[in-house]
Amino acid sequence: LVLLLSLTTLLVVFRPFSPSLNDAGSQKTAINAFHGQSKGRLDNALKPLEWWDSKTNDKLDRKLFVSDGKGGCKWAKPHAVNVGEDTTTVRSLIVAYPGSGKRTAWMEFEGLTSLATGDDYDLSGNHLNVAFMKSSFPHHEGIWSWGDNFHQVLLLVRNPRHAMVAYHELLYEIDYSTDWVSTYARKDRIYTLRPPVEEWEHFRDQRFDEEIHWWAWYIDFWMEGGVYRDILTHQLANFSWWEQVVMPHGHTYPDLDTLVPPETPTRHFHCVLDIEDCTPVTVLSYENLKDPAKGPSEAEKFSNMLEGREGISMIEKKSRRCVWNELFVKYKGYRTDDNRKNAPGPLDDEYVFTLPQLEKMKSVMEFTAAKYKGGAWANNLNAQDLVGYVESYISDVQKEINRLKRGPQGP
């Protein structure tokens, strides 16, 4: 949640390539000092995040689930995965554009495995001793703080119509903080406030035109394994150009006339040196994960990716529905978007977009869906799942466009 480093790209066509290790090494050297300074702030004394009952707002003195042997589940403490001693457990990154519900997925994965989870800024206090790490990297709200200690990627997506609203709510709750200390001091406000409509509209009108591209680019970055691209033109870029365009908002975007796309794609150095493959092993939908009819089966996609993997012991299948019910029916877990439903302030349907913004949002999503629907992606199961999610988002936004065009007197 801290505006520290901005990293963005979009792309049109992907072909196999061999990244330059020398180039990746020089990129990593250039940015390592920054990461070291940022991570150093996390080594201060941290209080772990607390668990809450989202319906009563009461604190819960418990953490996650184990099977009760009868198809149900009961609460238990999570198991740490000691990064210095356990070198075999498969560790997973949970990556998503800001406001996409990473914490929701985080809770589900923790509940299914009884293994501890963490975040890139270590607000959990678990440091690297976790099996799952959530992050918005390479968006400037995230940071690659885990070195080479994680092995695979899980990509979570959410309709940008709602992700952008949730992103702004998070920023409002931390008072738009741009440094770690101020953000940490305000972390207890997260998921408790609803911003005034006029603040949402100010953020929306300042940020929409870039953020909708960042949403689409974020998907591309991970789906294509970390290729450098310009955010606005979708053209290939090198590391130097990428560093300029991914700065936090308010910077001057470089002159696009000076962009000279490289002949071949280059992959981000972290995706060359620190993890075997940045391409996600599965793609999940926030909406499906929360849906009563689809939630358990959506979580099962994750379970199938980890079942039988080194160091991972899944809760037995007959108890998995119980985990989902505890989290998303009984609302037992960390604070999430659900806590804001009881907060004073505007209603959800008061945070709206203009008609031109909705039409641009739809256009960007159509580009994403078309890109992953055919060609080299046609037989990629993750890509086809992604297309299904994005097409459902397009449908939802089209319905809102239709309502706006009909006006208040329309049927």
Side-chain angles (χ1 to χ4, degrees), residues 8 14 48 59 79 95 98 122 124-125 152 181 209 216 223 235 244 253 286 288 363 372 387:
T8 53
F14 175 77
K59 289 184 181 180
H79 305 294
V95 298
D122 202 22
S124 66
Q152 63 181 18
V181 173
D209 285 336
M223 288 296 290
Q235 295 185 78
Q244 297 179 69
Y253 204 88
Y286 169 83
N288 280 9
S363 175
Y372 291 104
V387 169

Side-chain angles (χ1 to χ4, degrees), residues 219-352:
I219 291 171
D220 286 339
F221 177 86
W222 291 107
M223 288 296 290
E224 302 212 335
V227 172
Y228 292 128
R229 293 246 177 200
D230 176 65
I231 183 173
L232 299 180
T233 67
H234 307 183
Q235 295 185 78
L236 290 172
N238 57 30
F239 177 67
S240 298
W241 180 270
W242 202 65
E243 272 198 312
Q244 297 179 69
V245 301
V246 298
M247 296 299 291
H249 290 268
H251 73 287
T252 300
Y253 204 88
D255 184 355
L256 288 172
D257 290 337
T258 66
L259 171 62
V260 180
E263 293 183 2
T264 59
T266 303
R267 186 180 294 165
H268 193 283
F269 63 84
H270 282 309
C271 297
V272 175
L273 301 177
D274 292 330
I275 192 169
E276 184 176 345
D277 188 359
C278 277
T279 306
V281 295
T282 193
V283 180
L284 302 172
S285 157
Y286 169 83
E287 290 82 4
N288 280 9
L289 200 58
K290 295 290 295 291
D291 185 87
K294 301 176 182 177
S297 60
E298 189 74 4
E300 196 66 17
K301 288 173 56 180
F302 157 78
S303 302
N304 292 338
M305 287 295 104
L306 285 182
E307 199 94 56
R309 298 295 299 276
E310 187 72 31
I312 304 293
S313 178
M314 307 293 296
I315 195 170
E316 59 185 359
K317 287 191 175 183
K318 64 182 180 180
S319 295
R320 292 175 191 176
R321 178 80 197 203
C322 173
V323 173
W324 191 89
N325 286 337
E326 287 289 311
L327 290 173
F328 304 126
V329 177
K330 298 181 180 179
Y331 296 102
K332 303 293 177 68
Y334 297 112
R335 282 175 172 164
T336 67
D337 286 349
D338 293 313
N339 290 85
R340 292 197 188 104
K341 293 177 181 178
N342 299 323
L347 300 176
D348 285 343
D349 58 10
E350 295 181 66
Y351 301 118
V352 298

Side-chain angles (χ1 to χ4, degrees), residues 97-148:
Y97 174 86
S100 294
K102 293 181 295 296
R103 187 179 286 191
T104 297
W106 195 35
M107 294 191 304
E108 176 75 11
F109 301 164
E110 192 175 73
L112 291 172
T113 64
S114 295
L115 293 175
T117 56
D119 60 279
D120 51 0
Y121 286 105
D122 202 22
L123 295 178
S124 66
N126 290 330
H127 306 294
L128 293 177
N129 301 316
V130 297
F132 307 101
M133 178 78 72
K134 72 179 181 74
S135 178
S136 288
F137 179 90
H139 191 283
H140 62 71
E141 302 290 7
I143 183 173
W144 190 293
S145 59
W146 51 86
D148 61 358

